[in-house]
Amino acid sequence: MAHISTLQSLIAGRWLGESAAVPLHSALNNRVIYHTHAEKIDFDEAVTYARKTGVPGLMALDFQQRAARLKALALYLVERKEELYAISHLSGATRADSWVDIEGGTGTLFAYASMGSNELPSSNVLHEGPAIALGKKGGFAGTHILVPRGGLAVHINAFNFPIWGLLEKFAPSFLAAMPCIAKPATATSYLTQAVVRMMHESGLLPAGSLQLVIGSTGDLLDRLNGQDFVTFTGSAVTAAKLRTNPNLIAQSVPFNGEADSLNCAILAPDVTPDDVEFDLFVKEVVREMTGKSGQKCTAIRRIIVPEHLMDAVGTRLRERLAKVVVGDPSIEGVRMGALASKEQQNDVAERVATLSQGNEVVFGAADGFNPLGDGAQDGSFFSPTLLMCRDAFGNDAVHDVEAFGPVSTMMGYHDIDEALALAARGKGSLVSTLVTRDPKIAARVVPQVAATHGRVHVLERVASVDSTGHGSPLPQLKHGGPGRAGGGEELGGVRAVRHYLQRAAVQGSPTMLAAITGEYVRGADVNESPIHPFRKHFEDLKTGDSLLTHRRTVSEADIVAFGGISGDFFYMHFDEIAAKESQFGKRIAHGYFVLSAAAGLFVSPGVGPVLANYGLDNLRFVAPVAIGDTIRARLTCKRKVDRNRKDVFGVGQGVVAWDVQVTNQNEELVASYDILTLVSKRE
């Protein structure tokens, strides 16, 4: 990728910016490395392009196709990651810091591609079923659908993760068919521009699905409407300012905020200095203080420990912090880099000065701080700083002031109730860690901590083997927190995609609901034909294709044979006396025999397009089946998902969900479930 000294915005499909404006400096030595551009952005053009070009382009694809594009994009970026590492170095990030940003970002794309492929339909309507009967005669029902909003998403990001911050918001909004306008923090926008250039050059994104703003957002927020969406990551002060934008309020534009917070780590009273968990606690705190130089919204800012262990914890932390080598990450042995800018360095210094009032500095710049590297004296380095607060209930600053750098404050408690009270003093945080060996303590603490924290990380020796750590948001889990943390939610699997979709309740006949949702709804018209549904290829199957099977009468021999094969001799199937005294008043067949017998009724045994049973969902045994009862099954194609995959022979295949209803001789439902099958396409 060619080096461009003047950064450019990507607006309406073209790169804008030739004239240099604000200089951006290397965090390592303060040398000028880039400039923002002086050209003014026409935000009306940007918004119009997103609406008129981006939305139609994304809507031309379905959920599955957009998921496939995400996977291809992730692969494209992974092949070019070293170019990003080289640029990331300028922000003061170590290789490990950059890994979280770069490969954490592409990993999030992979994760959403996989979740989209496995959980979203081959359409642009996501059905939140099941449908609910709203009348006694079966002709009127209701359900919920999620559909693309038809608007655009504005993503405003912080400086600390210029790639991951972009991609973790872009991935779910892209799946939801929302074109996005990304606005990175200026200080590290050169890294965001680099990855956006790659994404644009890949040719994988429909025109208008991604635009980039370098510099101010100008009047962008004033041009949004209720179909749009705004997300923000950064300071609580800026979040409050953006949230109260008059146009966003007037238009009821959804706003998702993720703000910096005073996250905590709690050492439970059952842990002693001789326990493995004690060392795990110390390691986790140091990792969160020094990783990304403490510039993480999830970093541990408050260290809550039993009062009698404060000195012991302080000694261990000091010993570890003294071994941390700070400097230019290209120098072998350096474990912590610089803050992102001189402005950030000054801000952290001011906040440390405030936090130091009335508190002890256990470790700081006076303990031999000497960052390595050419010009490091002019860089944005800051010493890991550990403070100790002996009066955590009397010192408000430690719960209100956040130094967004390698800074943390230790405080003590007498009992677990005090620890919980201190945790809550953060007024809402993204994440907390509890280190304990005692499940009873975890069961007591976690529900209370969860009320004021978006995520609770429980750490002990067993979890430590695989733990991703206190400060690592995962695509599968919610990221966000209440109160000061912004009150928003990001990530969390497909939940994040749902955030960008519009939910609507739909009422009508089952047949109408089936047509709208693209899924068979019970009570809707079915399509019965002489051709068994299992004999149809994926392309030929239609939702509503159905088979009503022949009947089978259940005998005592069936129950005895199934018990012998399965080893299930539960008394309800074999003990005549006990069964008579039960609520059923008689012996009944195994539920799984009913399931197996139903399969025997509806399966077409010959070679055909159905390849394999892929799974079983929503199984319910609704009523007992007794000896002498006669059952039959109705098999109906409920849903088709074209996963755009081929087998080893190059034959395409998709997943088909079949609605199965098993009834008795009185037409009463006895079993209900969805069976999933892999079905091949025509060669």
Side-chain angles (χ1 to χ4, degrees):
M1 182 181 299
H3 178 79
I4 300 173
S5 59
T6 298
L7 301 179
Q8 294 181 307
S9 296
L10 177 60
I11 302 296
R14 69 183 188 280
W15 292 97
L16 170 70
E18 299 294 337
S19 302
V22 179
L24 304 183
H25 301 263
S26 167
L28 303 176
N29 51 32
N30 206 36
R31 294 170 187 159
V32 175
I33 49 175
Y34 294 96
H35 289 84
T36 62
H37 63 79
E39 289 81 358
K40 186 177 180 181
I41 296 173
D42 183 343
F43 286 107
D44 179 65
E45 180 186 28
V47 168
T48 301
Y49 189 69
R51 296 195 199 288
K52 295 189 175 181
T53 302
V55 171
L58 287 167
M59 289 296 292
L61 308 173
D62 61 29
F63 286 116
Q64 287 286 319
Q65 291 168 328
R66 291 192 293 272
R69 294 288 182 99
L70 281 185
K71 181 177 180 179
L73 181 63
L75 291 169
Y76 184 90
L77 295 179
V78 166
E79 291 175 355
R80 293 156 179 79
K81 65 182 181 181
E82 291 304 325
E83 296 177 49
L84 299 174
Y85 274 109
I87 302 171
S88 180
H89 172 78
L90 299 171
S91 70
T94 65
R95 179 83 182 189
D97 295 336
S98 296
W99 183 92
V100 174
D101 190 31
I102 297 168
E103 301 194 47
T106 55
T108 299
L109 292 183
F110 279 122
Y112 271 94
S114 176
M115 288 184 278
S117 174
N118 289 316
E119 301 180 49
L120 296 175
S122 305
S123 70
N124 280 316
V125 176
L126 178 57
H127 182 206
E128 281 192 326
I132 304 165
L134 300 176
K136 295 181 179 180
K137 298 181 180 180
F140 189 57
T143 193
H144 293 90
I145 60 173
L146 288 162
V147 297
R149 300 175 65 91
L152 62 109
V154 174
H155 297 316
I156 304 172
N157 286 312
F159 66 83
N160 50 345
F161 290 104
I163 292 178
W164 178 84
L166 167 77
L167 297 182
E168 63 98 7
K169 292 179 172 68
F170 169 79
S173 57
F174 182 84
L175 279 178
M178 286 197 90
C180 78
I181 298 176
K183 192 280 184 227
T186 301
T188 54
S189 57
Y190 51 86
L191 192 49
T192 309
Q193 183 210 242
V195 75
V196 169
R197 278 191 176 277
M198 288 183 181
M199 296 166 73
H200 184 65
E201 291 167 1
S202 74
L204 293 166
L205 303 182
S209 55
L210 175 61
Q211 298 181 74
L212 174 68
V213 173
I214 298 295
S216 170
T217 53
D219 62 355
L220 173 59
L221 299 187
D222 298 330
R223 299 181 179 277
L224 304 182
N225 62 41
Q227 290 180 284
D228 302 323
F229 204 108
V230 177
T231 70
F232 170 79
T233 297
S235 73
V237 173
T238 305
K241 180 180 178 182
L242 294 175
R243 195 190 299 271
T244 55
N245 173 279
N247 182 61
L248 298 189
I249 295 173
Q251 300 282 347
S252 298
V253 179
F255 182 94
N256 189 85
E258 185 232 298
D260 306 333
S261 59
L262 288 151
N263 313 293
C264 68
I266 303 171
L267 182 66
D270 63 301
V271 179
T272 72
D274 297 326
D275 289 328
V276 171
E277 284 72 16
F278 192 88
D279 284 332
L280 290 174
F281 181 83
V282 171
K283 289 178 182 177
E284 196 71 15
V285 169
V286 172
R287 179 166 67 171
E288 289 303 309
M289 287 181 66
T290 58
K292 198 70 177 177
S293 300
Q295 299 171 112
K296 297 197 298 182
C297 56
T298 53
I300 295 170
R301 306 300 181 194
R302 297 176 301 144
I303 310 164
I304 303 173
V305 303
E307 190 167 83
H308 69 279
L309 291 178
M310 286 182 72
D311 290 328
V313 173
T315 298
R316 293 275 187 96
L317 287 173
R318 181 184 172 90
E319 291 171 353
R320 282 193 167 270
L321 290 171
K323 297 177 182 178
V324 176
V325 180
V326 181
D328 186 329
S330 64
I331 298 174
E332 187 175 353
V334 167
R335 289 177 51 197
M336 190 180 104
L339 299 181
S341 65
K342 297 297 287 186
E343 292 79 7
Q344 187 65 16
Q345 183 188 49
N346 293 333
D347 182 73
V348 173
E350 290 176 5
R351 291 172 183 263
V352 167
T354 300
L355 289 169
S356 299
Q357 295 177 19
N359 296 318
E360 305 168 35
V361 178
V362 178
F363 187 89
D367 294 280
F369 181 58
N370 184 29
L372 306 179
D374 180 32
Q377 67 277 5
D378 297 319
S380 303
F381 297 95
F382 199 93
S383 171
T385 303
L386 175 65
L387 304 170
M388 183 181 291
C389 177
R390 298 284 184 180
D391 181 16
F393 286 99
N395 189 321
D396 291 336
V398 297
H399 307 294
D400 295 334
V401 178
E402 180 184 23
F404 202 73
V407 181
S408 193
T409 304
M410 182 166 56
M411 55 197 73
Y413 66 86
H414 291 100
D415 56 37
I416 201 67
D417 287 329
E418 282 196 1
L420 291 168
L422 289 173
R425 287 283 293 274
K427 303 179 184 68
S429 302
L430 293 171
V431 57
S432 62
T433 284
L434 171 68
V435 176
T436 181
R437 296 183 60 184
D438 190 342
K440 292 181 180 178
I441 290 178
R444 180 185 174 191
V445 170
V446 169
Q448 294 191 56
V449 172
T452 53
H453 293 75
R455 176 165 56 91
V456 184
H457 172 233
V458 182
L459 182 62
E460 35 74 54
R461 63 191 69 189
V462 176
S464 68
V465 177
D466 295 311
S467 173
T468 52
H470 168 100
S472 300
L474 298 173
Q476 300 87 346
L477 298 178
K478 168 204 163 184
H479 178 52
R484 177 184 172 124
E489 290 189 17
E490 295 177 340
L491 302 177
V494 173
R495 289 182 185 87
V497 181
R498 295 171 188 262
H499 291 329
Y500 294 104
L501 298 171
Q502 174 62 38
R503 179 179 286 104
V506 184
Q507 298 167 292
S509 70
T511 298
M512 289 298 181
L513 294 184
I516 293 164
T517 63
E519 292 188 4
Y520 170 71
V521 174
R522 287 185 180 175
D525 293 340
V526 296
N527 312 312
E528 293 182 297
S529 75
I531 302 175
H532 192 293
F534 277 19
R535 313 305 301 173
K536 296 181 179 180
H537 287 89
F538 184 83
E539 302 96 320
D540 301 325
L541 270 171
K542 294 180 175 59
T543 55
D545 283 358
S546 186
L547 170 72
L548 182 63
T549 70
H550 58 284
R551 298 180 177 88
R552 172 174 177 168
T553 300
V554 178
S555 67
E556 181 177 20
D558 291 329
I559 295 175
V560 172
F562 190 83
I565 292 171
S566 66
D568 180 353
F569 296 101
F570 187 60
Y571 75 91
M572 283 303 304
H573 311 312
F574 290 94
D575 189 329
E576 188 76 32
I577 296 173
K580 281 185 178 180
E581 295 174 349
S582 74
Q583 64 179 9
F584 302 121
K586 55 189 172 184
R587 289 165 62 194
I588 60 174
H590 304 73
Y592 290 105
F593 166 75
V594 175
L595 200 68
S596 300
L601 291 171
F602 64 66
V603 165
S604 177
V607 176
V610 174
L611 304 172
N613 186 335
Y614 189 69
L616 195 69
D617 288 339
N618 307 316
L619 173 62
R620 294 291 184 272
F621 296 117
V622 181
V625 174
I627 296 170
D629 282 354
T630 299
I631 61 173
R632 74 191 313 187
R634 177 171 285 282
L635 173 79
T636 308
C637 178
K638 179 178 181 178
R639 180 176 61 251
K640 295 171 56 183
V641 179
D642 186 349
R643 300 181 64 187
N644 301 297
R645 296 183 183 177
K646 295 183 178 181
D647 61 19
V648 293
F649 302 106
V651 178
Q653 56 185 230
V655 175
V656 177
W658 306 86
D659 175 80
V660 181
Q661 301 174 69
V662 185
T663 55
N664 62 18
Q665 65 275 9
N666 300 317
E667 299 298 323
E668 297 168 334
L669 189 68
V670 299
S672 171
Y673 54 97
D674 293 347
I675 186 171
L676 310 178
T677 60
L678 288 176
V679 179
S680 68
K681 297 180 179 179
R682 291 189 299 273
E683 290 188 41

